[in-house]
Amino acid sequence: MDESLYPDIIRRGGLAAAMDSTAQENGIPLGPVRPCSDFGDARYTTAKMNSERGPVTVFLGLKKRLFVITLEGNVRPWSSGSTEDLVAAVKAMSEWRRGVTLEELNNLFPFMSYDNFSRALERGDPVERRWEEILDNEEFVSSWPLLRRVREDNFLCTLFPFISHGVLHLSTDYSSRTADQVWIAPVGTGGYRVGATFASGEEKTSETIERAMGDAVSLLRERRW
């Protein structure tokens, strides 16, 4: 940390202490703030506050004066941003803890940004939003015929989709990396391979998208029942 950038932080005994005293001096309801770690420089250069939607962490910029804020969530960060103004950083944390929406937070503090998926999580429809994202992304244009057909299925469309190396993965729980998944992979000679994370070595080969979808559904239903 370049100490010349943060004389106020040093004077107050570290970032967490400085945020706490700033909140008190300005009448900002912030709640308990502590360092992210009790070891090393982190005792002085980091701060953490809890909220009902997850912890809020703050780190100091290394090369310029910045308070880098991340609103953590169970699945992914809700929002992040940075400001040179310590009071603004404390106010943003306080408003998030109070329960403002992402849009409201951004209106109050434009340096706090969020993406469409975070907004979808807030609305409670991340699966639908994810389908829209990959079907709008030209990076996956070669997979669009498969994606569009799978999305039309009343069961498979409820699963969280993502594509890796040309393979369509469908997860039963968007919030867990260890959730059950089925996958459908196009093969170079035509047709598809279908498998699941819970059925290693039990791949199936299908000549059509419809058969591949049926195999994927069967794997999940056998898993559940």
Side-chain angles (χ1 to χ4, degrees):
M1 179 182 73
D2 185 343
E3 296 184 0
S4 66
L5 298 174
Y6 304 100
D8 51 339
I9 303 302
I10 295 172
R11 186 173 61 252
R12 300 185 185 194
L15 179 57
M19 301 195 91
D20 183 61
S21 60
T22 297
Q24 294 183 38
E25 292 167 3
N26 291 273
I28 304 170
L30 189 61
V33 182
R34 64 183 185 279
C36 294
S37 172
D38 293 326
F39 300 98
D41 291 343
R43 292 175 295 173
Y44 310 104
T45 62
T46 67
K48 183 177 182 180
M49 177 199 75
N50 290 325
S51 77
E52 291 185 355
R53 289 174 283 185
V56 178
T57 59
V58 187
F59 294 83
L60 296 180
L62 296 177
K63 297 183 179 181
K64 62 181 296 187
R65 180 182 171 90
L66 279 178
F67 301 99
V68 183
I69 307 167
T70 303
L71 310 180
E72 304 287 355
N74 292 331
V75 180
R76 52 175 292 180
W78 292 100
S79 171
S80 62
S82 60
T83 177
E84 300 176 1
D85 187 342
L86 177 59
V87 174
V90 171
K91 287 182 177 179
M93 294 168 66
S94 174
E95 288 298 315
W96 182 249
R97 185 172 182 269
R98 186 173 66 85
V100 297
T101 65
L102 290 167
E103 182 178 3
E104 290 170 337
L105 184 72
N106 177 255
N107 288 337
L108 290 168
F109 309 98
F111 59 84
M112 294 301 298
S113 62
Y114 63 94
D115 60 20
N116 288 330
F117 188 69
S118 291
R119 184 72 183 93
L121 282 173
E122 187 176 62
R123 292 196 308 260
D125 58 356
V127 172
E128 180 62 22
R129 179 57 194 169
R130 182 56 180 163
W131 278 110
E132 293 173 356
E133 285 182 346
I134 60 177
L135 283 168
D136 287 340
N137 190 336
E138 293 188 358
E139 178 184 352
F140 305 129
V141 65
S142 62
S143 300
W144 281 355
L146 172 62
L147 288 166
R148 288 171 177 151
R149 183 64 189 89
V150 171
R151 193 187 185 190
E152 292 173 355
D153 185 89
N154 290 333
F155 174 65
L156 295 178
C157 73
T158 66
L159 305 177
F160 186 78
F162 65 95
I163 295 178
S164 177
H165 303 289
V167 178
L168 172 61
H169 297 258
L170 300 166
S171 174
T172 57
D173 184 353
Y174 67 86
S175 66
S176 173
R177 294 183 179 181
T178 61
D180 288 343
Q181 296 176 19
V182 292
W183 50 264
I184 302 175
V187 295
T189 56
Y192 302 86
R193 289 186 297 111
V194 181
T197 55
F198 51 84
S200 178
E202 296 184 21
E203 296 181 10
K204 299 183 179 182
T205 302
S206 306
E207 296 181 356
T208 65
I209 292 178
E210 286 71 20
R211 286 289 302 275
M213 290 166 53
D215 289 339
V217 171
S218 295
L219 282 168
L220 281 172
R221 287 181 173 167
E222 290 171 5
R223 172 70 164 177
R224 292 185 177 186
W225 294 290

